[in-house]
Protein backbone atom coordinates (compact mmCIF):
# COMPACT_ATOMS: atom_id res chain seq x y z
CA UNK A 1 0.00 0.00 0.00
CA UNK A 2 1.25 3.50 -0.74
CA UNK A 3 0.86 6.18 1.85
CA UNK A 4 -0.63 9.58 1.08
CA UNK A 5 1.83 11.82 -0.71
CA UNK A 6 4.63 12.65 1.66
CA UNK A 7 5.45 16.30 1.74
CA UNK A 8 8.89 17.47 0.79
CA UNK A 9 11.25 16.99 3.67
CA UNK A 10 12.21 20.62 4.08
CA UNK A 11 13.01 21.67 7.61
CA UNK A 12 9.68 22.57 9.15
CA UNK A 13 8.94 25.09 11.87
CA UNK A 14 7.23 23.90 15.01
CA UNK A 15 4.18 25.60 16.45
CA UNK A 16 4.72 27.17 19.89
CA UNK A 17 2.02 24.88 21.32
CA UNK A 18 3.40 21.74 19.67
CA UNK A 19 3.67 19.93 23.02
CA UNK A 20 -0.06 20.43 23.63
CA UNK A 21 -0.83 18.84 20.26
CA UNK A 22 1.53 15.96 21.01
CA UNK A 23 -0.21 15.41 24.33
CA UNK A 24 -3.52 15.37 22.47
CA UNK A 25 -2.18 12.61 20.21
CA UNK A 26 -1.89 14.67 17.02
CA UNK A 27 -0.36 13.31 13.86
CA UNK A 28 1.81 15.98 12.24
CA UNK A 29 2.50 16.84 8.64
CA UNK A 30 4.14 19.64 6.70
CA UNK A 31 2.13 22.59 5.42
CA UNK A 32 3.47 25.93 4.17
CA UNK A 33 6.79 25.36 5.95
CA UNK A 34 5.24 24.39 9.27
CA UNK A 35 4.85 21.07 11.04
CA UNK A 36 1.12 21.14 11.65
CA UNK A 37 -1.30 18.88 13.50
CA UNK A 38 -3.12 17.16 10.63
CA UNK A 39 -5.45 14.93 12.65
CA UNK A 40 -6.07 13.98 16.24
CA UNK A 41 -7.24 10.56 17.49
CA UNK A 42 -10.87 11.56 16.80
CA UNK A 43 -10.09 11.37 13.07
CA UNK A 44 -10.81 13.80 10.26
CA UNK A 45 -14.45 12.79 9.74
CA UNK A 46 -15.49 13.15 13.38
CA UNK A 47 -13.34 16.26 13.84
CA UNK A 48 -15.11 17.89 10.90
CA UNK A 49 -18.56 17.03 12.19
CA UNK A 50 -17.65 17.96 15.75
CA UNK A 51 -16.61 21.41 14.60
CA UNK A 52 -19.85 21.98 12.71
CA UNK A 53 -22.13 20.79 15.51
CA UNK A 54 -20.17 21.71 18.64
CA UNK A 55 -16.92 23.66 18.84
CA UNK A 56 -13.57 23.06 17.20
CA UNK A 57 -10.30 24.56 18.40
CA UNK A 58 -7.66 25.11 15.73
CA UNK A 59 -4.05 26.15 16.13
CA UNK A 60 -3.50 28.45 13.18
CA UNK A 61 -0.29 30.02 14.48
CA UNK A 62 1.27 29.38 11.09
CA UNK A 63 -0.73 32.39 9.92
CA UNK A 64 0.82 35.77 10.48
CA UNK A 65 -0.52 38.91 12.10
CA UNK A 66 0.85 42.29 11.11
CA UNK A 67 0.04 45.55 12.79
CA UNK A 68 0.08 48.60 10.53
CA UNK A 69 0.17 51.84 12.46
CA UNK A 70 0.91 55.43 11.64
CA UNK A 71 -0.65 58.59 10.24
CA UNK A 72 -0.53 57.14 6.72
CA UNK A 73 -1.69 53.60 7.52
CA UNK A 74 -4.84 54.15 5.43
CA UNK A 75 -2.84 55.43 2.49
CA UNK A 76 -0.48 52.47 2.68
CA UNK A 77 -3.35 49.97 2.66
CA UNK A 78 -5.14 51.80 -0.15
CA UNK A 79 -2.00 51.48 -2.26
CA UNK A 80 -1.28 47.89 -1.22
CA UNK A 81 -4.74 46.38 -1.70
CA UNK A 82 -7.97 47.01 -3.65
CA UNK A 83 -9.69 48.24 -0.55
CA UNK A 84 -11.13 51.48 0.84
CA UNK A 85 -9.48 51.68 4.28
CA UNK A 86 -11.17 54.99 5.08
CA UNK A 87 -14.53 53.26 4.72
CA UNK A 88 -13.68 50.55 7.26
CA UNK A 89 -15.38 51.46 10.50
CA UNK A 90 -13.69 51.00 13.85
CA UNK A 91 -13.34 47.27 14.63
CA UNK A 92 -14.71 46.16 11.26
CA UNK A 93 -12.84 43.50 9.32
CA UNK A 94 -12.65 43.24 5.54
CA UNK A 95 -11.55 40.39 3.32
CA UNK A 96 -9.17 41.70 0.69
CA UNK A 97 -6.50 40.63 -1.76
CA UNK A 98 -2.88 41.39 -2.38
CA UNK A 99 -2.53 41.68 -6.15
CA UNK A 100 0.55 41.87 -8.32
CA UNK A 101 0.75 44.32 -11.21
CA UNK A 102 -0.91 41.74 -13.50
CA UNK A 103 -3.79 41.55 -10.99
CA UNK A 104 -2.66 38.05 -10.05
CA UNK A 105 -3.58 37.12 -6.48
CA UNK A 106 -0.46 37.04 -4.27
CA UNK A 107 -2.50 36.39 -1.15
CA UNK A 108 -5.84 36.95 0.50
CA UNK A 109 -5.89 38.94 3.71
CA UNK A 110 -8.20 40.05 6.47
CA UNK A 111 -7.81 43.71 7.43
CA UNK A 112 -9.33 45.05 10.66
CA UNK A 113 -9.41 48.64 11.84
CA UNK A 114 -7.99 48.88 15.36
CA UNK A 115 -7.99 52.66 15.64
CA UNK A 116 -7.86 55.90 13.64
CA UNK A 117 -4.33 55.11 12.45
CA UNK A 118 -3.99 51.39 13.08
CA UNK A 119 -4.99 48.18 11.33
CA UNK A 120 -4.45 44.46 11.86
CA UNK A 121 -3.61 42.39 8.79
CA UNK A 122 -3.85 38.60 8.87
CA UNK A 123 -1.85 36.80 6.16
CA UNK A 124 -1.49 33.19 5.07
CA UNK A 125 1.40 31.13 6.38
CA UNK A 126 3.13 30.33 3.13
CA UNK A 127 2.98 33.93 1.96
CA UNK A 128 3.75 35.75 5.20
CA UNK A 129 7.32 36.72 4.35
CA UNK A 130 6.54 37.73 0.78
CA UNK A 131 3.49 39.66 2.00
CA UNK A 132 5.58 41.54 4.51
CA UNK A 133 8.09 42.49 1.83
CA UNK A 134 5.27 43.60 -0.50
CA UNK A 135 3.55 45.63 2.21
CA UNK A 136 6.83 47.35 3.05
CA UNK A 137 7.58 48.08 -0.60
CA UNK A 138 4.11 49.45 -1.17
CA UNK A 139 4.29 51.59 1.98
CA UNK A 140 7.60 53.12 0.96
CA UNK A 141 7.71 56.84 1.60
CA UNK A 142 4.60 56.72 3.77
CA UNK A 143 4.53 57.32 7.50
CA UNK A 144 3.45 53.88 8.66
CA UNK A 145 5.10 51.16 10.72
CA UNK A 146 4.57 47.52 9.72
CA UNK A 147 5.11 45.24 12.67
CA UNK A 148 4.96 41.45 12.38
CA UNK A 149 3.55 40.16 15.65
CA UNK A 150 4.82 37.18 17.60
CA UNK A 151 1.54 35.56 18.56
CA UNK A 152 -0.11 32.22 18.97
CA UNK A 153 -3.21 32.28 16.81
CA UNK A 154 -6.16 30.10 17.75
CA UNK A 155 -9.54 29.67 16.08
CA UNK A 156 -12.67 28.51 17.87
CA UNK A 157 -15.34 27.55 15.35
CA UNK A 158 -18.74 25.93 15.28
CA UNK A 159 -22.33 26.11 16.39
CA UNK A 160 -21.19 25.98 20.02
CA UNK A 161 -18.27 28.39 19.64
CA UNK A 162 -20.02 31.39 21.17
CA UNK A 163 -21.23 29.47 24.22
CA UNK A 164 -17.80 27.91 24.73
CA UNK A 165 -16.10 31.30 24.33
CA UNK A 166 -18.38 32.85 26.95
CA UNK A 167 -17.79 29.96 29.36
CA UNK A 168 -14.04 30.49 28.87
CA UNK A 169 -14.43 34.15 29.77
CA UNK A 170 -13.73 35.61 26.33
CA UNK A 171 -15.37 39.03 25.85
CA UNK A 172 -17.32 38.11 22.74
CA UNK A 173 -20.70 39.61 23.58
CA UNK A 174 -21.70 42.26 21.08
CA UNK A 175 -19.10 41.12 18.57
CA UNK A 176 -20.59 40.21 15.18
CA UNK A 177 -19.14 38.46 12.15
CA UNK A 178 -16.18 40.34 10.67
CA UNK A 179 -15.48 42.49 13.70
CA UNK A 180 -12.22 42.47 15.62
CA UNK A 181 -11.09 44.02 18.89
CA UNK A 182 -8.05 44.21 21.15
CA UNK A 183 -9.60 43.10 24.44
CA UNK A 184 -6.27 43.03 26.29
CA UNK A 185 -2.76 44.20 25.59
CA UNK A 186 -1.23 42.01 22.87
CA UNK A 187 -4.55 40.26 22.22
CA UNK A 188 -6.54 40.38 19.02
CA UNK A 189 -9.99 38.79 19.02
CA UNK A 190 -12.19 38.69 15.95
CA UNK A 191 -15.48 37.04 15.06
CA UNK A 192 -14.34 35.29 11.93
CA UNK A 193 -12.93 32.04 10.66
CA UNK A 194 -12.56 29.78 7.69
CA UNK A 195 -15.02 26.97 8.27
CA UNK A 196 -18.33 28.55 7.27
CA UNK A 197 -19.38 28.43 10.92
CA UNK A 198 -19.72 31.13 13.51
CA UNK A 199 -16.58 31.51 15.56
CA UNK A 200 -13.59 33.49 16.68
CA UNK A 201 -9.94 33.92 15.92
CA UNK A 202 -7.69 34.93 18.78
CA UNK A 203 -4.09 36.13 18.48
CA UNK A 204 -2.35 36.26 21.84
CA UNK A 205 0.98 35.68 23.59
CA UNK A 206 2.03 32.08 24.10
CA UNK A 207 1.54 31.96 27.87
CA UNK A 208 -1.99 33.37 27.56
CA UNK A 209 -2.68 30.97 24.70
CA UNK A 210 -1.69 27.96 26.79
CA UNK A 211 -4.02 29.02 29.54
CA UNK A 212 -6.88 29.77 27.15
CA UNK A 213 -6.48 26.52 25.21
CA UNK A 214 -6.42 24.60 28.50
CA UNK A 215 -9.62 26.28 29.66
CA UNK A 216 -11.35 25.71 26.33
CA UNK A 217 -10.30 22.07 26.10
CA UNK A 218 -11.67 21.40 29.58
CA UNK A 219 -15.07 22.25 28.07
CA UNK A 220 -16.69 19.01 26.87
CA UNK A 221 -18.01 20.71 23.73
CA UNK A 222 -14.52 21.76 22.58
CA UNK A 223 -12.02 19.53 20.76
CA UNK A 224 -8.81 20.14 18.84
CA UNK A 225 -9.39 19.99 15.10
CA UNK A 226 -6.54 19.32 12.69
CA UNK A 227 -5.58 20.75 9.36
CA UNK A 228 -7.21 17.90 7.42
CA UNK A 229 -10.65 18.79 8.76
CA UNK A 230 -9.89 22.49 8.42
CA UNK A 231 -9.43 21.82 4.72
CA UNK A 232 -12.65 19.83 4.29
CA UNK A 233 -14.56 22.44 6.32
CA UNK A 234 -13.34 25.37 4.23
CA UNK A 235 -13.90 23.50 0.98
CA UNK A 236 -17.51 22.71 1.91
CA UNK A 237 -17.85 26.37 2.84
CA UNK A 238 -16.66 27.30 -0.67
CA UNK A 239 -13.68 29.24 0.68
CA UNK A 240 -10.51 29.51 -1.38
CA UNK A 241 -7.17 28.14 -0.26
CA UNK A 242 -4.44 30.43 -1.51
CA UNK A 243 -1.84 28.48 -3.44
CA UNK A 244 -4.52 26.12 -4.75
CA UNK A 245 -7.77 27.85 -5.63
CA UNK A 246 -6.27 31.29 -5.99
CA UNK A 247 -2.71 31.99 -7.10
CA UNK A 248 -0.79 34.71 -8.88
CA UNK A 249 -2.02 33.04 -12.09
CA UNK A 250 -5.64 33.91 -11.31
CA UNK A 251 -7.18 37.37 -11.22
CA UNK A 252 -10.14 38.32 -9.03
CA UNK A 253 -12.56 38.30 -11.98
CA UNK A 254 -11.82 34.66 -12.87
CA UNK A 255 -11.66 33.73 -9.20
CA UNK A 256 -15.13 35.17 -8.56
CA UNK A 257 -13.78 37.44 -5.83
CA UNK A 258 -14.89 40.80 -7.19
CA UNK A 259 -17.33 41.04 -4.28
CA UNK A 260 -14.27 41.79 -2.13
CA UNK A 261 -13.39 44.85 -4.20
CA UNK A 262 -15.72 47.83 -3.65
CA UNK A 263 -17.06 49.47 -6.80
CA UNK A 264 -15.62 52.85 -5.84
CA UNK A 265 -12.18 51.29 -5.45
CA UNK A 266 -12.39 49.67 -8.88
CA UNK A 267 -13.27 53.02 -10.42
CA UNK A 268 -10.74 55.04 -8.48
CA UNK A 269 -7.81 52.64 -8.94
CA UNK A 270 -4.58 53.67 -7.28
CA UNK A 271 -3.73 50.21 -5.91
CA UNK A 272 -1.16 47.80 -7.29
CA UNK A 273 -2.78 45.82 -10.10
CA UNK A 274 -5.49 48.40 -10.80
CA UNK A 275 -4.79 48.73 -14.54
CA UNK A 276 -4.61 44.98 -15.10
CA UNK A 277 -7.76 44.50 -13.06
CA UNK A 278 -9.61 47.11 -15.12
CA UNK A 279 -8.52 45.30 -18.28
CA UNK A 280 -9.63 41.94 -16.85
CA UNK A 281 -13.03 43.43 -16.00
CA UNK A 282 -13.44 44.88 -19.48
CA UNK A 283 -12.63 41.60 -21.23
CA UNK A 284 -14.82 38.52 -21.02
CA UNK A 285 -13.04 36.14 -18.62
CA UNK A 286 -11.69 32.99 -20.28
CA UNK A 287 -12.38 30.89 -17.22
CA UNK A 288 -14.32 31.01 -14.01
CA UNK A 289 -14.02 29.41 -10.61
CA UNK A 290 -16.90 27.08 -9.78
CA UNK A 291 -17.99 24.54 -7.20
CA UNK A 292 -18.14 21.02 -8.57
CA UNK A 293 -20.10 18.06 -7.28
CA UNK A 294 -18.63 14.78 -8.54
CA UNK A 295 -21.24 12.13 -9.27
CA UNK A 296 -21.12 9.12 -6.97
CA UNK A 297 -18.87 8.57 -4.00
CA UNK A 298 -15.39 8.77 -5.46
CA UNK A 299 -13.49 11.93 -4.51
CA UNK A 300 -11.98 14.00 -7.32
CA UNK A 301 -8.73 15.58 -6.23
CA UNK A 302 -6.82 18.76 -6.99
CA UNK A 303 -5.07 18.47 -10.34
CA UNK A 304 -7.79 16.40 -12.02
CA UNK A 305 -8.35 17.64 -15.56
CA UNK A 306 -11.92 18.75 -16.29
CA UNK A 307 -13.12 17.56 -19.69
CA UNK A 308 -15.98 18.75 -21.86
CA UNK A 309 -18.43 16.55 -23.77
CA UNK A 310 -15.96 16.15 -26.60
CA UNK A 311 -13.27 14.98 -24.20
CA UNK A 312 -11.28 18.18 -24.62
CA UNK A 313 -9.64 19.81 -21.61
CA UNK A 314 -12.01 22.45 -20.24
CA UNK A 315 -10.46 23.20 -16.87
CA UNK A 316 -8.78 21.89 -13.76
CA UNK A 317 -9.82 20.93 -10.25
CA UNK A 318 -7.97 23.07 -7.69
CA UNK A 319 -9.38 21.55 -4.48
CA UNK A 320 -11.23 18.32 -4.06
CA UNK A 321 -12.05 15.76 -1.44
CA UNK A 322 -14.92 14.34 0.52
CA UNK A 323 -17.34 16.59 2.37
CA UNK A 324 -18.28 14.91 5.65
CA UNK A 325 -21.24 17.26 6.27
CA UNK A 326 -22.34 17.33 2.63
CA UNK A 327 -21.87 13.53 2.67
CA UNK A 328 -20.64 13.48 -0.90
CA UNK A 329 -17.44 14.39 -2.71
CA UNK A 330 -16.89 18.13 -3.10
CA UNK A 331 -14.54 20.04 -5.36
CA UNK A 332 -13.69 23.46 -6.69
CA UNK A 333 -11.92 24.41 -9.86
CA UNK A 334 -11.70 26.56 -12.94
CA UNK A 335 -13.68 25.85 -16.10
CA UNK A 336 -13.75 27.51 -19.49
CA UNK A 337 -16.25 30.33 -19.34
CA UNK A 338 -17.68 29.38 -22.75
CA UNK A 339 -18.80 25.93 -21.65
CA UNK A 340 -22.23 25.19 -20.21
CA UNK A 341 -22.60 24.10 -16.61
CA UNK A 342 -23.70 20.60 -17.54
CA UNK A 343 -20.80 19.90 -19.89
CA UNK A 344 -18.15 18.63 -17.51
CA UNK A 345 -16.66 15.35 -16.44
CA UNK A 346 -13.30 13.94 -15.45
CA UNK A 347 -11.62 10.58 -15.72
CA UNK A 348 -9.96 8.84 -12.83
CA UNK A 349 -8.19 5.55 -13.52
CA UNK A 350 -10.40 5.06 -16.55
CA UNK A 351 -13.67 5.83 -14.74
CA UNK A 352 -15.75 8.65 -16.14
CA UNK A 353 -17.10 10.84 -13.35
CA UNK A 354 -19.61 13.56 -14.16
CA UNK A 355 -18.87 16.92 -12.54
CA UNK A 356 -21.94 19.04 -11.92
CA UNK A 357 -21.34 22.74 -11.42
CA UNK A 358 -22.65 23.31 -7.90
CA UNK A 359 -23.36 26.60 -6.14
CA UNK A 360 -20.92 27.47 -3.36
CA UNK A 361 -21.00 26.89 -0.47
CA UNK A 362 -21.87 23.20 -0.33
CA UNK A 363 -23.00 23.65 3.27
CA UNK A 364 -24.73 26.88 4.27
CA UNK A 365 -22.71 29.49 6.12
CA UNK A 366 -23.85 30.06 9.68
CA UNK A 367 -22.08 33.33 10.44
CA UNK A 368 -23.45 35.55 13.21
CA UNK A 369 -23.97 38.78 11.36
CA UNK A 370 -25.78 40.46 14.23
CA UNK B 1 -5.46 -24.06 9.08
CA UNK B 2 -5.24 -20.44 8.04
CA UNK B 3 -1.93 -18.63 8.26
CA UNK B 4 -1.60 -14.84 7.99
CA UNK B 5 1.31 -13.08 6.34
CA UNK B 6 2.19 -9.41 6.02
CA UNK B 7 3.89 -7.23 3.41
CA UNK B 8 6.20 -4.29 3.92
CA UNK B 9 3.51 -2.17 2.28
CA UNK B 10 1.04 -3.01 5.06
CA UNK B 11 -1.18 -5.58 3.36
CA UNK B 12 -2.17 -8.75 5.18
CA UNK B 13 -2.93 -12.02 3.41
CA UNK B 14 -4.74 -14.86 5.17
CA UNK B 15 -4.07 -18.15 3.39
CA UNK B 16 -6.12 -21.30 3.54
CA UNK B 17 -5.05 -23.95 1.07
CA UNK B 18 -4.59 -22.29 -2.31
CA UNK B 19 -6.99 -19.41 -1.65
CA UNK B 20 -6.32 -16.26 0.33
CA UNK B 21 -8.05 -13.14 1.61
CA UNK B 22 -6.25 -9.79 1.41
CA UNK B 23 -6.72 -6.56 3.31
CA UNK B 24 -4.73 -3.70 4.81
CA UNK B 25 -3.43 -3.74 8.35
CA UNK B 26 -4.83 -1.86 11.28
CA UNK B 27 -1.67 0.23 11.25
CA UNK B 28 -2.32 1.14 7.61
CA UNK B 29 -5.94 2.15 8.14
CA UNK B 30 -4.90 4.29 11.06
CA UNK B 31 -2.28 6.04 8.94
CA UNK B 32 -4.81 6.67 6.18
CA UNK B 33 -7.58 7.98 8.37
CA UNK B 34 -11.26 7.77 7.57
CA UNK B 35 -11.88 6.05 4.26
CA UNK B 36 -14.64 7.42 2.06
CA UNK B 37 -14.26 5.30 -1.07
CA UNK B 38 -12.83 1.92 -2.03
CA UNK B 39 -12.35 1.09 -5.68
CA UNK B 40 -12.63 -2.66 -5.98
CA UNK B 41 -11.21 -4.72 -8.86
CA UNK B 42 -13.20 -6.98 -11.14
CA UNK B 43 -13.68 -10.57 -10.13
CA UNK B 44 -11.68 -12.79 -12.48
CA UNK B 45 -8.86 -10.30 -12.94
CA UNK B 46 -5.42 -11.86 -12.84
CA UNK B 47 -2.95 -10.15 -10.56
CA UNK B 48 0.81 -10.24 -10.55
CA UNK B 49 2.59 -9.63 -7.29
CA UNK B 50 2.99 -5.87 -6.84
CA UNK B 51 0.05 -4.92 -9.06
CA UNK B 52 -2.15 -2.15 -7.73
CA UNK B 53 -5.35 -4.10 -7.09
CA UNK B 54 -7.46 -1.71 -5.03
CA UNK B 55 -7.51 2.04 -4.46
CA UNK B 56 -8.54 3.22 -1.02
CA UNK B 57 -9.45 6.88 -0.68
CA UNK B 58 -9.47 8.78 2.57
CA UNK B 59 -10.91 12.26 3.01
CA UNK B 60 -7.54 13.64 1.95
CA UNK B 61 -5.81 11.21 -0.40
CA UNK B 62 -5.90 8.12 -2.56
CA UNK B 63 -3.61 5.13 -1.95
CA UNK B 64 -2.97 1.93 -3.89
CA UNK B 65 -3.18 -1.51 -2.31
CA UNK B 66 -0.84 -3.99 -3.97
CA UNK B 67 -1.26 -7.69 -4.63
CA UNK B 68 1.02 -9.60 -2.22
CA UNK B 69 1.12 -12.61 -4.57
CA UNK B 70 0.24 -13.69 -8.11
CA UNK B 71 -3.25 -15.05 -8.58
CA UNK B 72 -6.82 -14.58 -9.73
CA UNK B 73 -9.47 -12.57 -7.95
CA UNK B 74 -12.29 -14.82 -6.76
CA UNK B 75 -14.40 -12.29 -4.88
CA UNK B 76 -14.36 -8.70 -3.65
CA UNK B 77 -15.87 -7.26 -0.49
CA UNK B 78 -19.00 -5.62 -1.91
CA UNK B 79 -19.96 -4.32 1.54
CA UNK B 80 -17.23 -1.68 1.15
CA UNK B 81 -19.14 0.04 -1.67
CA UNK B 82 -21.76 1.16 0.81
CA UNK B 83 -19.56 1.35 3.88
CA UNK B 84 -15.88 2.02 3.15
CA UNK B 85 -15.34 2.84 6.81
CA UNK B 86 -15.47 -0.91 7.51
CA UNK B 87 -11.79 -0.87 6.62
CA UNK B 88 -11.22 1.55 9.49
CA UNK B 89 -13.37 -0.24 12.02
CA UNK B 90 -12.36 -3.81 11.12
CA UNK B 91 -9.28 -3.75 8.91
CA UNK B 92 -8.39 -7.37 9.52
CA UNK B 93 -11.97 -8.65 9.64
CA UNK B 94 -15.10 -7.33 7.90
CA UNK B 95 -12.95 -4.74 6.14
CA UNK B 96 -11.18 -7.32 3.95
CA UNK B 97 -10.67 -6.29 0.32
CA UNK B 98 -10.51 -9.28 -1.99
CA UNK B 99 -10.29 -13.04 -2.09
CA UNK B 100 -7.88 -14.67 -4.51
CA UNK B 101 -6.67 -18.00 -5.83
CA UNK B 102 -2.93 -18.21 -5.37
CA UNK B 103 -0.87 -19.02 -8.45
CA UNK B 104 2.39 -19.66 -6.63
CA UNK B 105 2.27 -20.40 -2.92
CA UNK B 106 6.06 -20.22 -2.70
CA UNK B 107 5.77 -16.43 -2.95
CA UNK B 108 4.46 -16.45 0.60
CA UNK B 109 7.92 -17.37 1.83
CA UNK B 110 9.11 -13.84 1.22
CA UNK B 111 6.43 -12.29 3.44
CA UNK B 112 6.47 -11.50 7.14
CA UNK B 113 4.67 -13.23 9.97
CA UNK B 114 2.84 -11.23 12.63
CA UNK B 115 5.87 -10.91 14.88
CA UNK B 116 8.11 -9.69 12.06
CA UNK B 117 5.43 -7.21 10.93
CA UNK B 118 5.05 -5.83 14.45
CA UNK B 119 8.78 -5.20 14.41
CA UNK B 120 8.54 -3.67 10.92
CA UNK B 121 6.05 -1.00 12.03
CA UNK B 122 8.03 -0.43 15.23
Amino acid sequence: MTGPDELKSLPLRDLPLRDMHETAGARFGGFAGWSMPITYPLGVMKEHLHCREQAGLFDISHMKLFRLAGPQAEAALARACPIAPAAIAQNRSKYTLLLDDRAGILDDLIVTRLGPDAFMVVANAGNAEADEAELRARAQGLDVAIEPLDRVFLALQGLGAEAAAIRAGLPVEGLVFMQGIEPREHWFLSRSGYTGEDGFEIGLPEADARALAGTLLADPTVAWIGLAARDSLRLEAGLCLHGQDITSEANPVEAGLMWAIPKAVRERGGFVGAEALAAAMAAAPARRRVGLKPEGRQPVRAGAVILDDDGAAAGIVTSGGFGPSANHPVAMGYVRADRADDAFHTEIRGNRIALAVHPLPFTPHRYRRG
Amino acid sequence: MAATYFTEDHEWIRVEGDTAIVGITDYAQEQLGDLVFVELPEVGRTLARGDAAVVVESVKAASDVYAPCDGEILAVNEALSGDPALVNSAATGDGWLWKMKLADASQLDGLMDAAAYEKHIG
Side-chain angles (χ1 to χ4, degrees), chain A residues 1-2 27 45 301 349, chain B residues 9 11 34 57-58 66:
Chain A
M1 198 199 74
T2 50
R27 175 170 296 140
M45 199 79 87
R301 311 283 180 181
R349 302 183 293 271
Chain B
D9 297 322
E11 291 93 10
D34 296 315
E57 300 223 19
S58 68
Y66 302 115

Side-chain angles (χ1 to χ4, degrees), chain A residues 231-265:
Chain A
D231 193 50
S232 55
L233 287 158
R234 71 93 197 161
L235 179 53
E236 280 185 345
L239 301 169
C240 292
L241 177 61
H242 190 271
Q244 278 185 216
D245 307 305
I246 47 177
T247 68
S248 60
E249 296 307 310
N251 67 50
V253 181
E254 300 167 325
L257 295 176
M258 290 304 291
W259 58 266
I261 305 178
K263 199 157 172 280
V265 173

Side-chain angles (χ1 to χ4, degrees), chain A residues 94-105:
Chain A
K94 283 279 182 197
Y95 175 84
T96 190
L97 303 166
L98 195 65
L99 303 178
D100 63 19
D101 52 16
R102 300 177 308 128
I105 302 171

Side-chain angles (χ1 to χ4, degrees), chain A residues 37-306:
Chain A
I38 305 296
T39 56
Y40 297 88
L42 203 53
V44 56
M45 199 79 87
K46 287 190 181 127
E47 288 172 39
H48 176 118
L49 297 170
H50 181 96
C51 175
R52 289 241 186 274
E53 297 316 319
Q54 298 193 62
L57 183 62
F58 303 76
D59 189 339
I60 51 171
S61 306
H62 59 311
M63 298 183 72
K64 193 71 189 172
L65 283 78
F66 295 97
R67 192 185 165 90
L68 268 68
Q72 290 185 294
E74 279 185 7
L77 275 174
R79 189 187 287 174
C81 299
I83 193 175
I88 303 177
Q90 173 68 16
N91 298 124
R92 291 302 306 195
S93 304
K94 283 279 182 197
Y95 175 84
T96 190
L97 303 166
L98 195 65
L99 303 178
D100 63 19
D101 52 16
R102 300 177 308 128
I105 302 171
L106 295 174
D107 203 1
D108 55 348
L109 309 169
I110 303 276
V111 175
T112 305
R113 181 184 286 277
L114 301 174
D117 296 324
F119 294 87
M120 188 70 80
V121 174
V122 180
N124 283 306
N127 304 322
E129 283 175 27
D131 288 358
E132 184 180 348
E134 279 297 331
L135 290 172
R136 287 192 191 285
R138 295 176 189 194
Q140 202 135 48
L142 297 175
D143 188 2
V144 58
I146 298 169
E147 184 193 0
L149 303 178
D150 188 20
R151 299 284 185 272
V152 167
F153 202 27
L154 300 173
L156 181 67
Q157 301 278 296
L159 207 53
E162 180 181 47
I166 291 169
R167 283 194 293 271
L170 289 170
V172 300
E173 291 95 336
L175 206 60
V176 299
F177 183 64
M178 294 304 270
Q179 269 191 330
I181 56 172
E182 291 179 295
R184 289 169 57 175
E185 199 185 359
H186 303 314
W187 280 48
F188 175 63
L189 166 65
S190 62
R191 194 154 200 161
S192 55
Y194 224 57
T195 60
E197 299 299 325
D198 181 31
F200 308 92
E201 292 172 307
I202 312 132
L204 69 181
E206 180 182 335
D208 294 349
R210 287 182 179 276
L212 177 63
T215 304
L216 285 168
L217 291 165
D219 188 317
T221 68
V222 178
W224 279 124
I225 309 294
L227 201 60
R230 182 172 170 81
D231 193 50
S232 55
L233 287 158
R234 71 93 197 161
L235 179 53
E236 280 185 345
L239 301 169
C240 292
L241 177 61
H242 190 271
Q244 278 185 216
D245 307 305
I246 47 177
T247 68
S248 60
E249 296 307 310
N251 67 50
V253 181
E254 300 167 325
L257 295 176
M258 290 304 291
W259 58 266
I261 305 178
K263 199 157 172 280
V265 173
R266 300 177 206 173
E267 285 164 4
R268 190 174 64 229
F271 54 89
V272 176
E275 293 76 16
L277 184 66
M281 285 166 60
R287 56 181 196 149
R288 58 199 170 104
R289 182 173 62 88
V290 292
L292 296 163
K293 182 184 174 188
E295 188 179 36
R297 305 295 293 175
Q298 183 169 356
V300 173
R301 311 283 180 181
V305 175
I306 301 169

